[in-house]
Amino acid sequence: MLDAAERLMLERGYIAASIAAIAAEAGVAVQTIYNSVGLKADVLAAVLERGATEPSGSGESALQDPVASPREASGPRSATDIIRLLVDWCVETNVRTAALRRVVAQAAGVDADVARLELRQSARLLHNFSETATALRDRHALRSGLSDHEAAAAIWALAHPQVYRSLVLDLDWSLGAYREWLGNTLRATLF
């Protein structure tokens, strides 16, 4: 179902990809989608979540998520490791979800449920980046006078999918240039 939903939303856009069309494409009943996933905004959220967490189509495994669990014992040991993993995670996640995030941005203007989804995702990302900021503070790496909240907001602003979309997709930066800029700017801002 999610494959069908993603394919139709990318091809037709959010509005034209009705639940009925998704069900037909997936070969299931409309009620099956409502029962197993929910409303159309829930389907979009599930597709986006899957894109952010599943391996890329290249067969590579998904990267360790330094955003969700930077304080775990098995996590990165140094502040430099955290930033490197964070940059890798941001690049790979943005590459995998850029087209879907464009669907979200377009749909948020016409569907209040998607607008709330977009806000929830931004809030969750900011919260997760606060874990990253705390992990950096634990390693005595944050610049003096920079609070964990300010550090999380800085990471959120720099790593936001819209920044990736603007620089890489709209202004034709290479992934290498974006990766280097993100790492350098995060270090300059936080350390």
Side-chain angles (χ1 to χ4, degrees), residues 13-189:
Y14 179 78
I15 300 301
S18 67
I19 292 291
I22 294 167
E25 180 81 9
V28 300
V30 169
Q31 196 59 44
T32 301
I33 294 176
Y34 287 127
N35 290 343
S36 61
V37 183
L39 301 173
K40 191 158 86 168
D42 300 320
V43 172
L44 178 57
V47 167
L48 188 58
E49 182 67 25
R50 182 182 71 163
T53 59
E54 283 192 355
S56 65
S58 66
E60 298 172 11
S61 62
L63 294 172
Q64 174 186 359
D65 182 351
V67 175
S69 56
R71 300 178 80 189
E72 292 178 5
S74 64
R77 299 185 191 269
S78 72
T80 302
D81 289 341
I82 291 173
I83 296 299
R84 181 185 45 78
L85 288 171
L86 177 62
V87 168
D88 289 346
W89 180 85
C90 289
V91 169
E92 185 169 315
T93 301
N94 282 323
V95 167
R96 282 197 315 266
T97 62
L100 290 170
R101 291 209 180 270
R102 191 174 302 261
V103 170
V104 170
Q106 292 167 347
V110 296
D111 186 319
D113 290 333
V114 177
R116 285 188 290 276
L117 163 68
E118 189 175 41
L119 184 59
R120 280 192 317 270
Q121 288 180 332
S122 283
R124 185 178 77 187
L125 196 57
L126 180 59
H127 171 75
N128 289 344
F129 285 146
S130 70
E131 290 291 319
T132 303
T134 300
L136 291 169
R137 168 90 48 223
D138 291 347
R139 288 157 178 83
H140 308 288
L142 285 185
R143 180 170 40 85
S144 177
L146 186 66
S147 72
D148 290 8
H149 179 72
E150 292 168 327
I155 296 167
W156 180 87
L158 292 169
H160 197 278
Q162 178 59 48
V163 173
Y164 166 83
R165 187 167 58 232
S166 294
L167 296 177
V168 176
L169 302 180
D170 297 341
L171 298 175
D172 294 323
W173 280 28
S174 70
L175 278 180
Y178 170 73
R179 178 186 301 276
E180 184 176 345
W181 169 82
L182 183 58
N184 289 342
T185 306
L186 284 168
R187 284 187 291 276
T189 302

